[in-house]
Amino acid sequence: MKPHPSRLRLNAREAPGATLERLLEAAEHHQALEQRVLTAIPAELASGCRFVAYRDGDLTLSAPNSVHASQLRLRQRDVVNELRQDPDFRHLWRLKVRVVPQGKPPAGLSPAPPISTENARLLMEEAGHTKDEDLRQVLERLARHARD
């Protein structure tokens, strides 16, 4: 069995090509383990899930959102039992699921839609009747958002 990628130690005295070769082997090993893990996960949950690590009987997966993570946790007994049939995972005893959102974060607040000219007129009228200076400035600023 190949050394686990997490236990891969780089030696500065190695030939430059040997270090790269070892890194590539570790990446291929990780990818092969990920494929085996994803086949054990129900198909509807496997999309978006990634294999993160397997160390000391702990299998760590990442899920794209909390719903996927909760569903994986609910089905972890089935997943663990199926993976234990694989010789590389025979000592698996715990499944950890971490939420790692994918893609870009949602954009900030969208600009407020413009208000009607009638509402702008009412806001300016109300601003003229108020005695609070801060409130008056806010109402006038809102009134300037009117549609043309």
Side-chain angles (χ1 to χ4, degrees):
M1 187 157 101
K2 293 182 182 180
H4 192 276
S6 66
R7 294 188 178 94
L8 181 68
R9 301 287 182 241
L10 301 179
N11 186 350
R13 295 180 191 170
E14 282 187 59
T19 303
L20 180 59
E21 187 176 313
R22 287 180 53 208
L23 284 172
L24 288 172
E25 285 177 11
E28 288 171 359
H29 182 67
H30 182 89
Q31 188 176 21
L33 289 176
E34 181 175 42
Q35 289 302 317
R36 288 189 270 173
V37 167
L38 291 179
T39 58
I41 296 174
E44 66 273 9
L45 296 175
S47 65
C49 290
R50 298 294 307 244
F51 167 73
V52 176
Y54 176 58
R55 285 187 202 99
D56 302 324
D58 289 344
L59 174 66
T60 305
L61 301 175
S62 70
N65 55 48
S66 60
V67 174
H68 268 79
S70 295
Q71 290 294 319
L72 279 170
R73 288 183 190 114
L74 287 171
R75 297 181 184 182
Q76 73 179 349
R77 181 174 292 164
D78 298 332
V79 173
V80 167
N81 287 337
E82 187 168 334
L83 281 172
R84 281 186 184 153
Q85 306 303 318
D86 189 320
D88 285 340
F89 296 105
R90 67 179 170 266
H91 299 294
L92 175 63
W93 68 282
R94 182 168 55 179
L95 179 68
K96 296 179 188 177
V97 183
R98 304 287 182 246
V99 176
V100 179
Q102 298 173 345
K104 294 191 292 187
L109 296 175
S110 60
I115 60 174
S116 69
T117 53
E118 177 63 19
N119 283 339
R121 186 188 63 74
L122 291 172
L123 284 170
M124 287 301 284
E125 186 179 311
E126 190 60 37
H129 295 298
T130 187
K131 294 179 180 165
D132 185 351
E133 182 65 27
D134 291 333
L135 179 59
R136 184 183 60 75
Q137 289 176 355
V138 169
L139 291 172
E140 288 174 350
R141 193 171 353 159
L142 285 173
R144 288 192 292 265
H145 290 263
R147 284 185 278 209
D148 292 330

